Amino acid sequence: MSQTTMSAVRRIRGRVTALAVAGTAIALLAPASATATTTTATAAGPARASSADPVAVLKYSAQERKAALAYWTPARIKAVGKSVDLGPTGPKTKTWRGTPLKTVGRLFFVNAGGADSWCTATAVKSANKSVVMTAAHCVRRGAAPDMTNIDMVFVPGYHKGKQPHGAFAVRAAATPRSFHTDSVNDMAALTVDADRKGRKLTDVVGATPIAFNRPVGGTVHSFGYPASSPQLGEELLYSTGKAKKEHGLQYIPGDMTGGSSGGPWLTDFDTATGKGTLVSVNSAMDSFTPTKGYGEIFGSTAKKVYERAARSA
């Protein structure tokens, strides 16, 4: 990738990071006890392994995962949604009123600045039945190795305060080391715990197929829980368009805002069944009044990240 192209990509990603932070920095601040929650898990000691390893992994202890589930009460979830409004939902973004997408949900966390926040994520097919795909900037700040998120909980099928399939604590988060060091390859694969009844995630909600090294093109449905009004993250929204290449990424026409980050890009999507194949996740927008939504092209790096999460016990 040329230096000019790399600079353009960084500008785009800088915008989405700023946009995501704009939707979270003014969110309800976590109490001191929560923001100080053990940082050893997010300091990524043993998880950093060799510098040659293309995947960086954060791990959360059993105690931290238990605390995360306790932290995200219905009242706190309601508060974080009400605390930020990024403006009216755009004309290219619609409320999803079809078959409920059980595999898609809100990903709640306390960000590196200590603010309560959320992204969007998707349960995908994996051998361990426990992998969730989202954006790397929903896990950590790019090019800031120690600025990582805590208290991460995935709520599939979230809708207006309802958690129809329960909540799943994140026990490990894999991201490309290139994002860890240089804000490149904005995607992540999370491994979640079983639910309170001991059930694996995809045994509960099903699993969305995922594809790598697929040519860019065709119609894409992009989903997310943006912090735009009047929904304010309480409903699943979507946009659709033809995918094209630009700046080493792929994009579709779209105007979803912060909170939709990490939401799935689905191809071969059947509106009647709500099923499709995941080929990317919401990563960036072209401006604060967006006309394009960008996603990574899932290639060999994305596959390695996914495989690391799928191997996690």
Side-chain angles (χ1 to χ4, degrees):
M1 186 180 294
S2 70
Q3 187 61 43
T4 300
T5 302
M6 181 65 76
S7 297
V9 171
R10 284 177 179 155
R11 284 198 298 274
I12 291 168
R13 289 187 174 125
R15 285 181 182 132
V16 75
T17 301
L19 191 59
V21 170
T24 59
I26 60 174
L28 177 68
L29 290 178
S33 59
T35 57
T37 297
T38 309
T39 56
T40 51
T42 57
R48 287 188 182 170
S50 167
S51 60
D53 189 342
V55 182
V57 180
L58 300 173
K59 294 184 178 180
Y60 302 92
S61 70
Q63 181 179 356
E64 288 166 332
R65 281 146 30 209
K66 182 179 179 180
L69 289 171
Y71 184 79
W72 285 106
T73 63
R76 186 173 292 278
I77 288 172
K78 185 176 181 180
V80 70
K82 284 189 172 183
S83 66
V84 56
D85 185 342
L86 297 182
T89 298
K92 294 183 177 69
T93 299
K94 310 296 181 184
T95 302
W96 177 249
R97 302 193 186 281
T99 301
L101 304 187
K102 297 193 295 183
T103 61
V104 182
R106 284 175 84 180
L107 176 69
F108 297 98
F109 53 89
V110 176
N111 70 17
D116 287 1
S117 187
W118 80 87
C119 278
T120 305
T122 309
V124 296
K125 286 187 176 180
S126 63
N128 62 7
K129 301 183 178 182
S130 303
V131 174
V132 175
M133 303 300 293
T134 190
H137 73 263
C138 297
V139 173
R140 65 194 321 149
R141 290 186 188 172
D146 295 321
M147 300 297 282
T148 54
N149 300 338
I150 60 174
D151 292 326
M152 301 185 75
V153 172
F154 177 56
V155 181
Y158 182 91
H159 182 73
K160 293 184 176 180
K162 296 181 179 178
Q163 302 182 29
H165 314 295
F168 297 78
V170 175
R171 69 173 182 263
T175 56
R177 190 166 297 278
S178 53
F179 188 84
H180 175 118
T181 59
D182 204 32
S183 297
V184 176
N185 288 316
D186 186 16
M187 55 77 59
L190 315 179
T191 309
V192 299
D193 280 342
D195 67 10
R196 289 183 172 92
K197 297 180 180 179
R199 300 175 300 176
K200 294 290 187 71
L201 172 63
T202 60
D203 284 337
V204 177
V205 301
T208 296
I210 184 170
F212 301 96
N213 300 306
R214 180 168 175 154
V216 174
T219 300
V220 168
H221 282 69
S222 168
F223 292 87
Y225 288 89
S228 55
S229 56
Q231 295 87 3
L232 299 178
E234 289 295 304
E235 297 180 69
L236 184 64
L237 308 185
Y238 77 102
S239 60
T240 185
K242 298 286 186 180
K244 297 181 179 180
K245 287 185 180 180
E246 187 174 78
H247 304 311
L249 305 170
Q250 55 183 320
Y251 78 89
I252 61 170
D255 48 22
M256 281 197 286
T257 56
S260 66
S261 294
W265 284 32
L266 302 179
T267 61
D268 304 323
F269 185 73
D270 186 329
T271 56
T273 64
K275 296 184 182 300
T277 299
L278 189 141
V279 294
S280 190
V281 297
N282 293 323
S283 171
M285 301 169 192
D286 59 342
S287 71
F288 285 109
T289 54
T291 61
K292 296 177 182 178
Y294 289 87
E296 298 289 349
I297 299 171
F298 279 7
S300 59
T301 297
K303 188 175 182 181
K304 288 175 183 175
V305 171
Y306 161 80
E307 289 174 342
R308 182 70 61 87
R311 289 198 305 268
S312 180

